[in-house]
Amino acid sequence: MALEGVRAGFRNEAGIAAVLGILRQAFGERFQTGQAMREQHAHTTTYLPAQLPDGVVFVETAQEVQDVVRTCAAHKVPIIPFGTGSSLEGQVNAAAGGISIDFSRMNRVLEVNAEDLDCTVEPGVTREQLNEYLRDTGLFFPIDPGANASIGGMTATRASGTNAVRYGTMKDNVLAVTAVMANGEEIRTARRARKSSAGYDLTRLMVGAEGTLGVLTSITLRLQGIPEMIAGGVCGFATLKDAASAVITTIQMGIPVARIELLNDAQVAACNAYSGLSLAVQPTLFVEFHGTAETVRLQSEQFAEIVAENGGGAFEWSTDAAARAKLWKARHNAYYSAKALIPGMAALSTDVCVPISRFADCVAETEADIIENGFTAPIVGHAGDGNFHVLVLFDDKNPAEIARVEDFCVRLNARALAMDGTCTGEHGIGQGKQPFLIEELGASVHVMRQIKRALDPDNIMNPGKIFTLD
Amino acid sequence: MALEGVRAGFRNEAGIAAVLGILRQAFGERFQTGQAMREQHAHTTTYLPAQLPDGVVFVETAQEVQDVVRTCAAHKVPIIPFGTGSSLEGQVNAAAGGISIDFSRMNRVLEVNAEDLDCTVEPGVTREQLNEYLRDTGLFFPIDPGANASIGGMTATRASGTNAVRYGTMKDNVLAVTAVMANGEEIRTARRARKSSAGYDLTRLMVGAEGTLGVLTSITLRLQGIPEMIAGGVCGFATLKDAASAVITTIQMGIPVARIELLNDAQVAACNAYSGLSLAVQPTLFVEFHGTAETVRLQSEQFAEIVAENGGGAFEWSTDAAARAKLWKARHNAYYSAKALIPGMAALSTDVCVPISRFADCVAETEADIIENGFTAPIVGHAGDGNFHVLVLFDDKNPAEIARVEDFCVRLNARALAMDGTCTGEHGIGQGKQPFLIEELGASVHVMRQIKRALDPDNIMNPGKIFTLD
C-alpha cells in the first residue's frame, strides 16, 4: 500500500535529455549529474525505495529558480525542490526522474524586522542557522522538528515539533511566501500585515503543498520574543494513561505550556542509553514553560498539582539552562536513540494526531498492538497536540517484515481516523501515506487534484507526491 | 473604482426562470421571491448599490443545500450564501442575479466537544448565540466582529475583531468545514485533530473565499476556556502617536493582551455621545487582559508602566464586569456612534492593516488626510494587529462626494500598501476592494482565478466577488 505514490509512470526521456544539456551549459559546476550526488538527493531516510533525479542544480537566486522552472516547463520535465533531505515520506524522491533543485546555497536571511517580530529568509536557511542569526535581536523562531531542517522544507511539509502546543505549526508562523509557479511566474502570496482578508489564502495553500504547486523562493516568518525565563522538568507516571491524563488536564485548563512531550518506557530506556540520561524507566513527561520568573513559577506549580492528581511522581522543575539543553537534545535525538536499539535496522516514524480527549486511548491501544506483535517500537509524542510518533524498527530487506510493518501502520491509521484524527500531524503525505489521505478526507482529495491540475497542468511540480493524478 | 466587481454582466434569464420554478415546488413557503424579501437579502450596509437576488431559499439541512446547489448548477444560475447580511463589501449582492441561500434556519450547534475545546455548528449560528449556548461549559468562542454575525459569514470573510490580537482570526480558529462544491459534492476539509499535514489546506482555502468556491454547511471551531479573571481599563494620551507607541511596545514585549483598541478623539467624542460614556476627548486605548487573578494583575501593572513611559494618563484597571460590559458595548457600537454624528448620511468602513512598526505613521497620516479634506470620519482600530477602521460619513446621493470618498480610499490603501500592509484586515474584498487586491497581490490574483475556474467552471458560486473572471 505504501507504494501508491511511487509508481514511476512516464519518464520523459527526450525532455530530460534536453534539460540536462541546457542546465549544464547555464550552471556549469553548479549542475551535477554524478551518481553519488543524485543518490544523496533521493530519499533514503525511510524504507521507501530511493528514486534518483537526473540532475541536481545548486541555485543561488530566485531568478535562477525561475530560469530552471521555465526550462523544465518548456520540456515538461519534473522539478523536485530539495532542502536538507530530512523529510520522512519520500517527498524528495524523483518518481518520474527530473531535476532536483538544491537550496543549500540559497540560504540568506533577507530581512529581519525586529519591531514587527518577523523576518524573510531564503528556503535553504535552516532553523538552527536562523536562530543563531537572530540571537542578538532577542527574538527566536520556535518551530523545531527534530532535524535541523530547512525553512523551505518545513514550509512545504507544514512541519511543527515540540513547541507547537504553544506557538503553532508552520501554518501559523508563515506570514507570506514568494514562489515560482509552473508557468514560470513568481508570485507573492501576502504582504507583512499580521492579518488580512485579501482573497484566497494562498499562503496557507503553499504551506504543506510539498512542492507540488510551486517552488518557494522566500518565506516570511513570524518571530517570538525570547522568553525572559524558561523553566522545565521531567516527571514519571505509573501508566501511559495517567501521563496522558495529566496532559489533557493541562491543555484543558489553558495552562500555556511551551512543550509537553510524552515518552513511553521503551523510549525512556532508549534515551537513557543513547543520550546518557538516567531517568526511571516508566512513562514520562518532558515539560517546559516560557514566561517571566513569576509566570513560569505559577505555571510550574499548577502543573505539579495536576501531576499529583494523576498519580505522577514528584515534578521537579528548574530554570537551569544546561540541564534543559541536555534534556531537549535527548528528546530531539529520540529517532536516533530508537535506531540505536538494533543497529542496522531501518526505522519508520509514524505521526498520527488525534483530538486530545482520545490521546490516552490512542497511545495505549497502539502500545498494546506493539507489544502483542513483538515490535521494537518506542513511542514519543507531542502530547499537547494529540500527536505521537511510533519509531518502528525493522529489516527492510525482509518482505515479510515490511508487510507486518505496513499492516501495523494500517491499524494505527485506522485507529486514529476512527477517533476523528489525522494520519499525519506533521510529516506530510509524500509517497508513503497516500491511501490514508484518501481514507481521511475522501472527496476533498478530488478538490486537491483539481487545484493541482489547474496550477500545474503538465504535472511537473514534484509529481506523484500527496496524490497521483491518474 | 469601487464598481469593478459590480458589473452585472450576463443574466441567465432562462436558467433563472427554470430554477425559480423548481425551488418553488420543492420548498413551498420556504422559497420567497417578493421584492421586500429580495431587497433584505441584497447588500445595503454601504454605498454599494444593492443587487437583488431573484429568490431567497430558507434551507434547513445540508441535504437541502446540496439540492439547491445541484439545481442551480444544472441551470448555471448563481448562488449567494446569506448569513445575517452584516458584511461590508457587497459580499451578498447578486451581481448577475440568482438564488440567495438564507441560513437563518440552519442554526443548530451540532456538537460540543468540551474536552477537546471544539464545537461544530451550522453556518447560521451567530456568535452571540454560540456563546450563549456554551456558557455552561466554561468555554467561549473569542472572535467578535462588531455585528452579531453568523459563523458561516465570519468564516467566509475571514473575520476577526477585538480579540484577534490574543486569539487570532477565523483562519486560526476554524479546524474544519464541510462545504457543497459547485459540482454538488459535499466535502469535509479536515478531521478534528489540532494539527495536520494531510495534503492541501482546504480549510484555510475555504476560510476567506467569500462563498466563491463552495457553500459552507458546517464549521468546526476551536474554543477557549473562559478566563478565570478578566481585567481591563482605559487610558488617554496627548497624541495618537503616543497611544500607538504604547501599543507597539506592549506587543513587542510579548504581553499577552486580549484586546487593545485605539480610538482617536473624534471616535471618543462619538462614543461619549452615543453610548453615554464620559471619557476625556483625546486619543484613547481600551485594553483587556485575560488570565488568573495573578497574571492579569502582572500584565496590568506592566502595561501601566508602558503607558507612563509613553506619556499617557493614569491607567486605571478593574475587574468589574458591569463597567467592562459598558465599555466594550460602546466599542462594538463605534460604527453606529459614528453614523449618529450626522443622521441620514451613508457610512463607509475601511479596514487597512499594516505591520505594527508602521501603525503610528499610518494612523497619523490618515488622520491628517481626514482633517485636511474636512471629512467627518472617526478612527477606531484593533491596534495590536496594526488594523484600523475609518468610518467615513458622506452623502451617497451626491456623486461629487462619493468621488471624494473614493479618492480618500485610494490614498488610504496606497499608504497601507506602501507600508507593506493590506487593504483589508478583516472585511474581505467583496465588490468594493477589487482594484486594491490587484495592487496588493499582483500575479497572485491570477492564481486565485485559476483555482476559481478549476473548482467552479460555470462561475455560479457568488460570482463577481473578490475578482471578476473576464
Side-chain angles (χ1 to χ4, degrees):
Chain A
M1 62 52 186
L3 301 186
E4 187 79 11
V6 188
R7 283 186 204 125
F10 172 68
R11 259 182 67 85
N12 174 8
E13 299 294 354
I16 289 169
V19 165
L20 292 183
I22 295 167
L23 294 182
R24 194 171 289 125
Q25 189 131 28
F27 288 89
E29 285 299 300
R30 289 197 285 123
F31 182 66
Q32 304 265 326
T33 54
Q35 177 78 7
M37 184 63 82
R38 290 164 52 219
E39 276 176 5
Q40 200 186 306
H41 285 77
H43 205 285
T44 52
T45 309
T46 65
Y47 71 103
L48 294 164
Q51 297 169 312
L52 278 52
D54 294 284
V56 180
V57 60
F58 291 83
V59 291
E60 291 180 350
T61 65
Q63 180 61 57
E64 287 185 354
V65 173
Q66 205 164 26
D67 294 344
V68 172
V69 170
R70 285 183 169 152
T71 299
C72 287
H75 296 276
K76 302 191 180 178
V77 166
I79 294 159
I80 305 100
F82 184 93
T84 65
S86 56
S87 60
L88 290 165
E89 295 291 345
Q91 278 97 346
V92 298
N93 255 339
I99 303 302
S100 173
I101 302 187
D102 183 302
F103 281 93
S104 59
R105 297 194 196 183
M106 201 163 151
N107 67 341
R108 283 158 292 231
V109 177
L110 298 174
E111 190 177 286
V112 176
N113 301 293
E115 281 203 306
D116 295 319
L117 292 88
D118 70 45
C119 70
T120 299
V121 303
E122 290 180 333
V125 169
T126 68
R127 65 179 182 86
E128 290 179 5
Q129 178 197 344
L130 177 58
N131 280 320
E132 197 66 40
Y133 187 97
L134 291 172
R135 190 168 289 174
D136 296 338
T137 64
L139 300 171
F140 80 114
F141 178 65
I143 314 298
D144 69 333
N148 183 23
S150 68
I151 300 297
M154 289 167 62
T155 303
T157 53
R158 203 181 296 129
S160 50
T162 65
N163 283 307
V165 62
R166 166 80 177 251
Y167 299 104
T169 75
M170 289 303 282
K171 143 178 96 59
D172 307 295
N173 287 281
V174 174
L175 277 174
V177 303
T178 56
V180 177
M181 308 304 280
N183 63 4
E185 202 161 42
E186 189 177 37
I187 65 165
R188 177 169 177 77
T189 58
R191 301 292 189 105
R192 284 199 303 114
R194 275 292 142 134
K195 65 182 192 185
S196 172
S197 288
Y200 301 164
D201 191 345
L202 298 185
T203 306
R204 247 56 54 181
L205 185 64
M206 298 302 289
V207 174
E210 301 189 10
T212 63
L213 297 177
V215 183
L216 302 175
T217 49
S218 78
I219 301 105
T220 299
L221 299 168
R222 295 182 72 145
L223 301 174
Q224 301 287 335
I226 294 175
E228 196 179 305
M229 187 66 78
I230 299 178
V234 169
C235 61
F237 291 81
T239 69
L240 258 184
K241 278 228 169 191
D242 289 343
S245 295
V247 174
I248 293 172
T249 307
T250 305
I251 298 302
Q252 286 169 353
M253 285 186 60
I255 300 175
V257 62
R259 292 167 150 171
I260 186 162
E261 299 281 307
L262 172 65
L263 293 74
N264 76 344
D265 46 12
Q267 183 64 59
V268 171
C271 286
N272 281 346
Y274 186 84
S275 298
L277 304 184
S278 50
L279 298 169
V281 177
Q282 58 182 334
T284 298
L285 295 178
F286 287 13
V287 198
E288 193 169 280
F289 301 100
H290 294 179
T292 62
E294 281 159 298
T295 58
V296 300
R297 181 184 51 74
L298 285 171
Q299 291 168 27
S300 299
E301 288 171 4
Q302 272 186 293
F303 180 70
E305 279 173 38
I306 293 170
V307 170
E309 281 162 19
N310 286 279
F315 174 61
E316 282 161 26
W317 59 278
S318 91
T319 58
D320 179 61
R324 196 173 63 240
K326 184 172 179 183
L327 193 67
W328 291 104
K329 184 151 192 235
R331 165 63 192 90
H332 278 135
N333 282 331
Y335 178 81
Y336 300 102
S337 73
K339 279 203 81 166
L341 291 173
I342 316 178
M345 290 288 105
L348 175 81
S349 175
T350 72
D351 68 321
V352 298
C353 184
V354 296
I356 192 87
S357 66
R358 307 309 306 277
F359 182 67
D361 289 339
C362 198
V363 174
E365 289 174 26
T366 302
E367 195 182 54
D369 186 339
I370 291 167
I371 292 168
E372 188 182 323
N373 288 282
F375 288 115
T376 299
I379 296 176
V380 58
H382 309 309
D385 299 324
N387 183 206
F388 66 93
H389 305 299
V390 184
L391 304 163
V392 193
L393 299 194
F394 65 103
D395 176 2
D396 62 347
K397 306 289 176 288
N398 180 340
E401 206 162 320
I402 291 178
R404 284 182 68 234
V405 171
E406 290 188 343
D407 287 348
F408 169 77
C409 288
V410 168
R411 290 192 301 277
L412 173 61
N413 283 292
R415 189 178 299 130
L417 294 188
M419 294 176 176
D420 218 356
T422 175
C423 68
T424 174
E426 54 186 22
H427 296 167
I429 298 294
Q431 299 178 314
K433 294 211 191 85
Q434 297 190 9
F436 304 130
L437 176 68
I438 292 165
E439 279 175 51
E440 182 173 329
L441 296 181
S444 281
V445 183
H446 174 61
V447 174
M448 294 181 200
R449 288 195 178 102
Q450 286 176 303
I451 293 170
K452 167 73 171 174
R453 284 198 190 95
L455 300 187
D456 180 20
D458 292 324
N459 195 21
I460 60 167
M461 290 291 175
N462 209 5
K465 310 304 159 57
I466 304 181
F467 42 69
T468 49
L469 286 177
D470 39 290
Chain B
M1 61 63 191
L3 300 186
E4 186 80 11
V6 187
R7 284 187 203 124
F10 172 68
R11 260 183 66 87
N12 174 8
E13 298 294 356
I16 289 168
V19 165
L20 291 183
I22 295 167
L23 294 182
R24 192 171 289 125
Q25 189 131 26
F27 287 89
E29 283 300 299
R30 289 195 285 124
F31 182 64
Q32 304 265 326
T33 54
Q35 178 77 6
M37 185 62 80
R38 290 163 53 221
E39 276 176 6
Q40 198 186 307
H41 286 76
H43 205 286
T44 51
T45 310
T46 66
Y47 71 104
L48 294 165
Q51 296 168 312
L52 278 52
D54 294 282
V56 180
V57 59
F58 292 82
V59 290
E60 292 180 350
T61 64
Q63 180 60 56
E64 287 185 353
V65 173
Q66 205 165 26
D67 294 344
V68 173
V69 170
R70 285 183 169 153
T71 300
C72 287
H75 296 275
K76 302 191 180 179
V77 167
I79 294 159
I80 305 99
F82 184 94
T84 64
S86 56
S87 60
L88 289 165
E89 294 292 345
Q91 278 96 345
V92 298
N93 255 339
I99 304 301
S100 174
I101 303 187
D102 183 302
F103 281 93
S104 59
R105 296 193 196 183
M106 201 166 151
N107 68 342
R108 283 159 291 229
V109 176
L110 298 175
E111 189 177 287
V112 176
N113 300 294
E115 281 204 306
D116 295 318
L117 292 88
D118 71 44
C119 70
T120 299
V121 304
E122 289 181 334
V125 169
T126 69
R127 64 177 184 87
E128 289 178 6
Q129 179 196 344
L130 177 58
N131 280 321
E132 197 67 40
Y133 187 97
L134 291 172
R135 190 167 289 173
D136 296 337
T137 64
L139 301 172
F140 80 115
F141 178 66
I143 314 298
D144 69 333
N148 182 23
S150 69
I151 300 297
M154 289 167 63
T155 303
T157 53
R158 205 181 295 129
S160 48
T162 65
N163 283 308
V165 63
R166 167 81 177 251
Y167 300 103
T169 75
M170 288 304 281
K171 143 177 96 58
D172 307 295
N173 287 281
V174 175
L175 277 175
V177 303
T178 56
V180 177
M181 308 304 280
N183 64 4
E185 203 162 42
E186 189 176 36
I187 64 166
R188 177 168 178 79
T189 58
R191 301 293 188 107
R192 285 199 304 115
R194 275 291 142 135
K195 65 181 191 185
S196 172
S197 287
Y200 300 164
D201 191 345
L202 298 184
T203 306
R204 249 53 58 181
L205 185 65
M206 297 303 289
V207 173
E210 301 188 11
T212 64
L213 297 178
V215 183
L216 302 176
T217 49
S218 79
I219 301 106
T220 300
L221 299 168
R222 294 181 72 145
L223 301 174
Q224 301 286 335
I226 294 175
E228 196 179 307
M229 187 66 78
I230 299 179
V234 169
C235 61
F237 291 81
T239 69
L240 257 184
K241 279 227 171 192
D242 289 343
S245 295
V247 174
I248 294 172
T249 308
T250 304
I251 298 302
Q252 286 168 354
M253 285 187 58
I255 299 174
V257 61
R259 292 167 149 171
I260 186 162
E261 298 282 308
L262 173 65
L263 292 74
N264 76 344
D265 47 11
Q267 183 64 60
V268 171
C271 286
N272 281 347
Y274 186 83
S275 297
L277 303 184
S278 50
L279 298 170
V281 176
Q282 58 182 335
T284 298
L285 295 178
F286 288 12
V287 198
E288 193 169 281
F289 301 101
H290 293 177
T292 62
E294 281 159 298
T295 59
V296 301
R297 180 184 52 74
L298 284 172
Q299 291 168 27
S300 299
E301 288 171 4
Q302 271 186 294
F303 180 70
E305 279 174 37
I306 293 169
V307 170
E309 280 161 22
N310 285 280
F315 173 61
E316 283 161 24
W317 58 278
S318 90
T319 57
D320 178 62
R324 195 173 65 240
K326 184 171 181 185
L327 193 67
W328 291 104
K329 182 150 194 233
R331 166 63 192 90
H332 279 135
N333 282 332
Y335 177 83
Y336 300 102
S337 74
K339 279 204 80 164
L341 290 173
I342 316 178
M345 289 288 106
L348 175 81
S349 176
T350 71
D351 69 321
V352 298
C353 184
V354 295
I356 192 87
S357 66
R358 307 308 307 276
F359 182 67
D361 289 340
C362 197
V363 174
E365 288 174 27
T366 302
E367 194 182 55
D369 185 339
I370 290 167
I371 292 169
E372 189 182 322
N373 288 283
F375 288 115
T376 298
I379 295 177
V380 57
H382 310 310
D385 300 325
N387 182 207
F388 67 94
H389 305 298
V390 184
L391 303 164
V392 193
L393 299 194
F394 64 102
D395 177 1
D396 61 348
K397 307 287 176 290
N398 179 340
E401 207 162 319
I402 291 177
R404 285 182 67 233
V405 171
E406 290 187 342
D407 287 348
F408 170 77
C409 288
V410 167
R411 291 193 299 278
L412 173 60
N413 283 293
R415 189 177 300 129
L417 293 188
M419 295 175 176
D420 219 356
T422 176
C423 66
T424 174
E426 55 185 21
H427 295 167
I429 298 294
Q431 299 178 316
K433 294 213 192 82
Q434 298 190 9
F436 304 129
L437 175 68
I438 292 165
E439 279 175 52
E440 182 171 329
L441 295 181
S444 281
V445 183
H446 174 61
V447 174
M448 294 180 200
R449 288 195 179 103
Q450 287 176 301
I451 293 170
K452 166 74 171 173
R453 284 198 190 96
L455 301 187
D456 179 21
D458 291 323
N459 195 20
I460 60 167
M461 292 290 176
N462 209 3
K465 310 303 158 59
I466 304 181
F467 43 69
T468 48
L469 285 178
D470 40 290

